[in-house]
Amino acid sequence: MSNRVVAENNTSPARDTLPFFSTNSMELTHITRAASGVSPTLGQLLKRVGDVRKEQTGDETPVHQILDVSDTSSVETRSLPFVLSFNNLTYSVKARRKFITLPAVFRRQPHPLGPVTATDPVPGENLFSKTKTLLNDISGEARDGEIMAVLGASGSGKSTLIDALANRIAKESLKGTIKLNGEVLESRMLKVISAYVMQDDLLFSMLTVEETLMFAAEFRLPRTLSKSKKKIRVQALIDQLGLRNAAKTVIGDEGHRGVSGGERRRVSIGIDIIHDPILLFLDEPTSGLDSTSAYMVVKVLQRIAQSGSIVIMSIHQPSYRILGLLDRMIFLSRGQTVYSGSPMNLPHFFEEFGHPIPENENRTEFALDLIRELEGSPGGTKSLVEFNKTWQNMKQSRNTNAHSDSQGLSLKEAISASISRGKLVSGATNNDASSPTSMVPNFANPAWKEMVVLSQRSVTNSRRMPELFGIRAGAVMVTGFILATIFWQLDNSPKGVQERLGFFAFAMSTTFYTCADALPVFLQERYIFMRETAHNAYRRSSYVLSHTLTSLPALVFLSFAFSAITFWAVGLDGGFFFYFLMMFASFWAGNSFVTFLSGVVPHVMLGYTIVVAILAYFLLFSGFFITRDRIPPYWIWFHYLSLVKYPYEAVLQSEFGNPVKCFVRGVQIFDNTPLAAVPTAMKVRLLETLGRTLNMRITTSTCLTTGVDILDKEAVNQLSKWSCLWITVAWGFFFRFLFYFSLLLGSKNKRR
């Protein structure tokens, strides 16, 4: 491996005395790198509490004992286990033109000066769209034990290159090859051996730092590892990341005070390195941090690289101290490489280019300023791009002559050797496997274990925000109280029947509307879910099942509360148990429907608009406003798709299903008609006249309308109440399946 140059010393960390976790017993022991001849794993590094913060504050943690880079005779040479090489990476997207100008119409020849840039026309363009090249024939390599940084101005293609290397761009869109130890990386293998740290810190706000890392350990470390050993690993990682003082502090958000920005960034890194990945990709890990916090983050990355990992990150403008921690650099300008090599070679490179770097000036700042200046010139960066190609060819020929006899390890051998040293803690290896892909399992834990951990995390995070459930429960209980007082002790008269119908229609629709609060739950977790499943922390099916299980207790409570408040107060007769079951089924179906929409819609406000509109349509076609036999044939399909239809018909059948219960007797038949104002004596004579006409005796006590008659009048006679209950429950399961498929198809997190 190439010699390192560390900012603080002119020595190498090859002889650090570091504690580690044995791969067999995970007991804390001490070894020296010089004695072993191999780089310690991250597990070995984790117990060394040597963060920069503690070194600067006088902590007793020993600083790195560095070996002089000039003393090569005392270092045992070895083949590099991992070399990630990428060649001729090209990625273009089509964008719609914002406006069309006359020069654009008549221009057909490429610009006489400079290379093709993102704004120049290329073959395949037309007046309405243009092709924008984000990556243009980029090549390079990264090795374990080193940090490779991608630099450039905003829009130069830094994040795009990181996404390309991390398999976050669709294969059909990305041209070129990416190989690890000479073998093409399969997507399945890359998910297991790599981790990706996004630019945004996506964390659960109400979990503490320690809990966040512990849940990550539960996901990524195998079930065979005891909980006590996982805790030891988490505590060591907290010390390694310099988070001891913030271990018991919640992450926080806009409404809750939590850890600082630098600590959040280190927590984001920690959850992705808990299983000691071979490849670590980071998108702008120092963005938004002050100089000291940024340096501490990169210092942590240096230790991760020294443990035998390949660390590749994008960075906007590193400080002088951070520059001393980097091993390889790639400068990009409009998707093209303008420099690739060691930071130590920057002065020599620009001196040969004819722009020497002044002694007291930051090398990266000078390079970025020069690149920006060239981008604004008529010729662009064409001269620098061509000079870099020539310079790279010369350097490559020298390296080939000097190291022509070096032999690397195959991918299978390198992975096997790394796992034997403690890397990839999440997977038990199969050394007899025929291919590298089958050596490491896809997931560290079985599905049931993932469900348990996901449920624990969700409950812990929700328990610390009781106001969210309290507001929802309050809304349901207040609604039930209002309904109970308005429809207090309804009688069995014709007016009472009409009021019962209105109560049931409003009550059933309320259960669905109060489920709309489930919409932002997944929308807030969407990107956390995408980050974790992108590298196989857990299965998507496990997330859906745990999401379902954790929502059930709240639905049971809400259903019971609403049922208990309204059933006896309104004076319902259908049986409390079935009424409660129907309420629970309605909450379940409504929650599942809203959850499915949260997996489809991208924004909360758009989701609320869709939910309110669709639920209004469900109520319209439920059969309350217009009965089934009166709905036009071209809309009848919507009636059967209505989620409100089945709960509404179920409670109606439960309430009016008794054939011997009477709801209209004698003169009550004239209620709700213009004859209601006629004196009672006149109504009795009218009944007698009607009876003589029908050849039957009708008195004031004769039952004229039973519950079955009301069901026939409302066209509620196709399904039984239990059939409506099971159909409502089935709707809930159906939408949960749709939610799973929306996650399966819509959370690829890849550019097209």
Side-chain angles (χ1 to χ4, degrees):
M1 185 171 60
S2 62
N3 296 329
R4 287 192 53 79
V5 178
V6 183
E8 296 87 345
N9 304 283
N10 291 326
T11 52
S12 167
R15 292 181 177 177
D16 290 352
T17 301
L18 302 171
F20 78 110
F21 293 101
S22 170
T23 56
N24 297 324
S25 64
M26 290 293 286
E27 299 296 331
L28 190 62
T29 60
H30 287 77
I31 64 165
T32 60
R33 294 179 63 185
S36 63
V38 295
S39 300
T41 66
L42 180 59
Q44 299 165 3
L45 287 168
L46 289 180
K47 283 299 289 180
R48 178 186 180 277
V49 190
D51 199 271
V52 173
R53 173 187 292 179
K54 297 191 176 184
E55 294 176 5
Q56 294 177 345
T57 56
D59 188 79
E60 296 180 358
T61 304
V63 297
H64 286 289
Q65 300 298 321
I66 311 295
L67 181 69
D68 191 346
V69 295
S70 62
D71 185 11
T72 58
S73 60
S74 62
V75 182
E76 180 182 352
T77 60
R78 64 181 179 89
S79 299
L80 290 169
F82 293 104
V83 178
L84 179 70
S85 59
F86 47 97
N87 298 289
N88 310 116
L89 295 183
T90 302
Y91 174 56
S92 301
V93 295
K94 286 189 176 181
R96 182 179 298 176
R97 292 186 184 274
K98 295 183 179 179
F99 52 85
I100 303 174
T101 60
L102 289 178
V105 174
F106 294 105
R107 186 176 57 192
R108 290 292 180 264
Q109 298 299 324
H111 201 284
L113 298 175
V116 175
T117 64
T119 59
D120 290 327
V122 296
E125 286 190 352
N126 55 47
L127 297 179
F128 304 100
S129 66
K130 61 180 179 179
T131 301
K132 187 174 183 179
T133 302
L134 303 182
L135 298 178
N136 190 354
D137 195 29
I138 296 180
S139 301
E141 70 174 19
R143 304 185 177 190
D144 72 311
E146 299 179 347
I147 299 178
M148 187 182 82
V150 184
L151 295 90
S154 298
S156 60
K158 301 189 301 296
S159 298
T160 306
L161 178 58
I162 297 293
D163 287 345
L165 297 177
N167 193 35
R168 292 164 64 88
I169 297 179
K171 289 184 178 180
E172 58 271 15
S173 301
L174 180 67
K175 299 178 181 178
T177 59
I178 303 174
K179 297 182 179 180
L180 185 62
N181 286 29
E183 300 183 26
V184 177
L185 265 178
E186 298 182 14
S187 177
R188 175 180 174 272
M189 167 61 74
L190 186 61
K191 285 184 177 181
V192 178
I193 68 173
S194 68
Y196 185 96
V197 180
M198 297 181 180
Q199 185 172 351
D200 298 323
D201 299 319
L202 304 173
L203 304 168
F204 285 92
S205 59
M206 299 311 295
L207 298 181
T208 65
V209 170
E210 185 177 9
E211 289 171 343
T212 301
L213 296 176
M214 191 63 205
F215 282 120
E218 293 284 1
F219 287 132
R220 303 310 299 261
L221 303 185
R223 183 168 55 96
T224 54
L225 205 61
S226 66
K227 195 172 187 67
S228 61
K229 292 179 180 178
K230 291 179 182 178
K231 289 182 178 179
I232 293 175
R233 189 173 184 85
V234 168
Q235 294 302 320
L237 183 57
I238 289 175
D239 292 330
Q240 173 71 10
L241 296 172
L243 296 170
R244 176 55 57 193
N245 294 333
K248 301 296 183 180
T249 306
V250 296
I251 300 299
D253 55 14
E254 295 82 359
H256 303 85
R257 187 177 179 86
V259 298
S260 66
E263 290 168 336
R264 287 174 63 93
R265 190 60 47 86
R266 279 176 278 161
V267 173
S268 297
I269 295 174
I271 60 179
D272 284 312
I273 66 173
I274 190 70
H275 66 300
D276 206 357
I278 293 174
L279 294 170
L280 179 60
F281 304 99
L282 305 101
D283 186 14
E284 298 274 5
T286 61
S287 176
L289 303 181
D290 58 82
S291 177
T292 301
S293 298
Y295 174 75
M296 293 176 66
V297 168
V298 181
K299 187 68 176 178
V300 170
L301 297 179
Q302 183 195 49
R303 294 173 184 171
I304 297 170
Q306 291 171 353
S307 71
S309 297
I310 298 176
V311 178
I312 303 176
M313 68 174 184
S314 60
I315 187 169
H316 184 67
Q317 196 163 344
S319 64
Y320 180 80
R321 290 193 300 168
I322 292 179
L323 183 63
L325 303 178
L326 306 179
D327 299 281
R328 294 172 183 264
M329 305 173 70
I330 293 181
F331 280 87
L332 298 181
S333 172
R334 295 180 179 176
Q336 293 183 298
T337 305
V338 293
Y339 174 77
S340 177
S342 169
M344 303 303 295
N345 293 331
L346 268 176
H348 181 59
F349 175 82
F350 283 103
E351 184 177 359
E352 291 190 5
F353 182 63
H355 292 76
I357 302 177
E359 287 187 16
N360 298 325
E361 188 164 351
N362 186 295
R363 302 169 187 171
T364 55
E365 290 181 0
F366 175 86
L368 292 173
D369 290 342
L370 178 61
I371 293 170
R372 193 175 293 110
E373 180 182 346
L374 292 175
E375 287 177 348
S377 64
T381 55
K382 179 180 180 180
S383 57
L384 188 57
V385 171
E386 296 299 329
F387 176 77
N388 175 65
K389 291 180 180 179
T390 305
W391 196 75
Q392 292 294 334
N393 292 333
M394 293 175 56
K395 190 175 76 168
Q396 186 176 6
S397 62
R398 290 197 300 266
N399 292 339
T400 302
N401 295 332
H403 304 285
S404 59
D405 57 343
S406 62
Q407 295 293 329
L409 299 175
S410 68
L411 183 56
K412 179 181 178 181
E413 293 171 342
I415 293 178
S416 179
S418 293
I419 294 177
S420 66
R421 297 201 309 270
K423 301 289 289 182
L424 290 181
V425 185
S426 63
T429 76
N430 178 15
N431 292 327
D432 298 329
S434 58
S435 66
T437 305
S438 56
M439 294 178 64
V440 183
N442 283 342
F443 300 93
N445 295 286
W448 70 265
K449 176 66 174 178
E450 296 171 351
M451 290 172 54
V452 170
V453 178
L454 284 166
S455 301
Q456 289 175 345
R457 184 176 70 175
S458 178
V459 170
T460 302
N461 188 66
S462 301
R463 184 165 46 85
R464 291 177 183 157
M465 292 187 291
E467 63 275 8
L468 298 181
F469 176 74
I471 292 174
R472 183 182 182 189
V476 171
M477 296 174 71
V478 168
T479 303
F481 175 77
I482 294 175
L483 289 176
T485 53
I486 291 180
F487 298 95
W488 180 264
Q489 295 298 316
L490 298 179
D491 55 25
N492 294 330
S493 66
K495 288 184 178 180
V497 171
Q498 191 64 34
E499 290 166 353
R500 288 173 192 267
L501 295 177
F503 166 77
F504 286 133
F506 191 87
M508 294 301 106
S509 61
T510 297
T511 60
F512 288 93
Y513 277 109
T514 53
C515 290
D517 72 314
L519 185 68
V521 173
F522 177 72
L523 289 177
Q524 293 174 352
E525 300 179 9
R526 177 194 297 273
Y527 293 104
I528 299 179
F529 166 82
M530 294 171 65
R531 182 200 66 202
E532 292 175 335
T533 54
H535 292 274
N536 289 12
Y538 49 80
R539 299 165 178 83
R540 291 176 175 85
S541 57
S542 300
Y543 180 86
V544 174
L545 291 174
S546 70
H547 188 281
T548 302
L549 293 176
T550 54
S551 65
L552 290 179
L555 299 182
V556 171
F557 175 83
L558 296 176
S559 304
F560 182 82
F562 187 86
S563 302
I565 292 174
T566 58
F567 184 81
W568 289 284
V570 176
L572 303 181
D573 298 325
F576 176 78
F577 181 68
F578 181 84
Y579 180 66
F580 162 71
L581 287 181
M582 199 64 247
M583 282 295 169
F584 175 67
S586 301
F587 274 108
W588 157 251
N591 182 270
S592 300
F593 170 69
V594 176
T595 300
F596 159 66
L597 286 183
S598 70
V600 177
V601 298
H603 305 294
V604 174
M605 294 308 299
L606 177 61
Y608 277 129
T609 303
I610 296 176
V611 167
V612 171
I614 293 180
L615 290 181
Y617 300 150
F618 285 164
L619 179 60
L620 175 63
F621 288 97
S622 64
F624 171 71
F625 294 102
I626 181 171
T627 58
R628 185 189 69 250
D629 52 1
R630 299 283 294 174
I631 296 177
Y634 47 83
W635 282 119
I636 195 66
W637 58 273
F638 211 130
H639 171 73
Y640 291 101
L641 291 180
S642 172
L643 293 182
V644 182
K645 160 188 164 62
Y646 302 100
Y648 175 68
E649 292 188 359
V651 292
L652 284 187
Q653 295 208 36
S654 178
E655 185 70 14
F656 300 110
N658 189 351
V660 299
K661 186 174 182 180
C662 187
F663 289 92
V664 178
R665 293 182 181 274
V667 295
Q668 288 181 336
I669 194 174
F670 300 109
D671 293 352
N672 298 327
T673 69
L675 297 178
V678 174
T680 304
M682 180 65 69
K683 293 179 182 178
V684 172
R685 288 196 296 270
L686 288 174
L687 283 179
E688 293 175 352
T689 303
L690 182 62
R692 288 193 297 270
T693 303
L694 297 176
N695 294 322
M696 60 182 296
R697 185 171 180 269
I698 302 177
T699 66
T700 56
S701 61
T702 303
C703 182
L704 299 179
T705 303
T706 64
V708 176
D709 297 327
I710 295 175
L711 294 179
D712 290 336
K713 178 183 177 182
E714 297 296 322
V716 181
N717 48 22
Q718 281 189 327
L719 299 170
S720 67
K721 65 179 184 179
W722 291 104
S723 298
C724 292
L725 173 65
W726 298 127
I727 291 176
T728 305
V729 173
W731 272 119
F733 282 105
F734 175 71
F735 284 117
R736 291 286 170 173
F737 279 116
L738 291 183
F739 177 55
Y740 168 73
F741 285 112
S742 71
L743 299 186
L744 196 64
L745 301 176
S747 61
K748 298 296 184 180
N749 202 23
K750 285 189 177 184
R751 303 191 192 187
R752 292 293 175 185

